[in-house]
């Protein structure tokens, strides 16, 4: 996705809270645009409960997605793919408008900041000096959405 969408909440904190403290497994999908994130995650999150996938063909991505009980991701094509496969999906929105771009499906929950300047356009966001739409989303917001979604 666009850089302005990829600067989302600290997924590392959520993963540490859930995967490193229990029997929950994670599959982390990284594309070429997330190379720096992938390196940072690899350094911090080496654990048997975490699978790292980098730049996999779509057929492989679908295979791994179908093995998931839940998908958590930002506003991206991958999030739409997960929801279209019927996977319970948490879609995290920052500057983009969930009213327009929310993935379809009965088991989709949106997490976004309730601030006056969101949603906005990528041009506006790139000039933004606070990025509260991203920074105000926290681990608890996402964990609460996980609790409300029909996973099992």
């Amino acid at each position: 996705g666009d850089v302005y969408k990829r600067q989302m909440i600290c997924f590392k904190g959520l993963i540490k809270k859930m995967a490193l403290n229990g029997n929950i497994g994670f599959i982390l999908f990284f594309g070429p645009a997330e190379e720096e994130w992938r390196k940072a995650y690899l350094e911090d999150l080496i654990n048997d409960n975490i699978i790292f996938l980098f730049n996999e063909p779509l057929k492989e991505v679908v295979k791994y997605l179908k093995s998931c009980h839940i998908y958590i991701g930002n506003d991206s094509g991958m999030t739409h793919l997960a929801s279209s496969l019927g996977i319970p999906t948490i879609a995290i929105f920052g500057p983009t408008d969930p009213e327009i771009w929310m993935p379809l499906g009965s088991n989709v929950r949106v997490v976004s900041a309730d601030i006056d300047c969101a949603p906005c356009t990528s041009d506006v966001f790139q000039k933004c000096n606070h990025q509260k739409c991203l920074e105000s989303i926290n681990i608890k917001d996402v964990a609460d959405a996980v609790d409300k979604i029909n996973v099992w």
Side-chain angles (χ1 to χ4, degrees):
D2 289 336
V3 170
Y4 85 109
K5 293 182 194 175
R6 288 187 281 113
Q7 298 174 4
M8 282 296 168
I9 66 161
C10 183
F11 285 107
K12 274 199 276 186
L14 182 67
I15 294 165
K16 284 181 178 181
K17 179 178 180 176
M18 298 178 88
L20 304 182
N21 298 325
N23 293 322
I24 298 172
F26 277 79
I27 302 171
L28 302 180
F29 298 91
F30 296 95
E34 291 91 20
E35 176 63 18
E36 288 188 33
W37 273 24
R38 183 177 70 100
K39 289 177 184 174
Y41 276 57
L42 281 171
E43 292 171 8
D44 270 0
L45 296 174
I46 295 176
N47 183 283
D48 291 340
N49 291 345
I50 302 171
I51 297 169
F52 290 87
L53 299 176
F54 178 67
N55 210 21
E56 292 290 328
L58 187 58
K59 192 174 187 178
E60 288 297 303
V61 169
V62 169
K63 180 180 89 172
Y64 279 101
L65 281 173
K66 286 182 175 180
S67 73
C68 295
H69 293 286
I70 189 170
Y71 177 88
I72 303 169
N74 59 325
D75 172 27
S76 67
M78 189 77 124
T79 301
H80 287 273
L81 178 60
S83 70
S84 73
L85 292 169
I87 299 162
T89 300
I90 307 294
I92 302 169
F93 282 77
T96 52
D97 189 348
E99 294 291 322
I100 296 172
W101 298 111
M102 177 181 165
L104 302 176
S106 60
N107 213 1
V108 175
R109 298 291 178 272
V110 168
V111 175
S112 63
D114 185 20
I115 59 172
D116 292 338
C117 59
C120 69
T121 65
S122 66
D123 291 341
V124 171
F125 181 78
Q126 289 172 3
K127 295 173 188 168
C128 179
N129 63 357
H130 58 75
Q131 299 182 352
K132 289 180 183 175
C133 61
L134 299 175
E135 294 169 0
S136 63
I137 299 172
N138 59 50
I139 295 167
K140 183 180 180 324
D141 296 330
V142 179
D144 288 348
V146 170
D147 288 342
K148 292 176 185 170
I149 201 163
N150 184 16
V151 176
W152 312 113

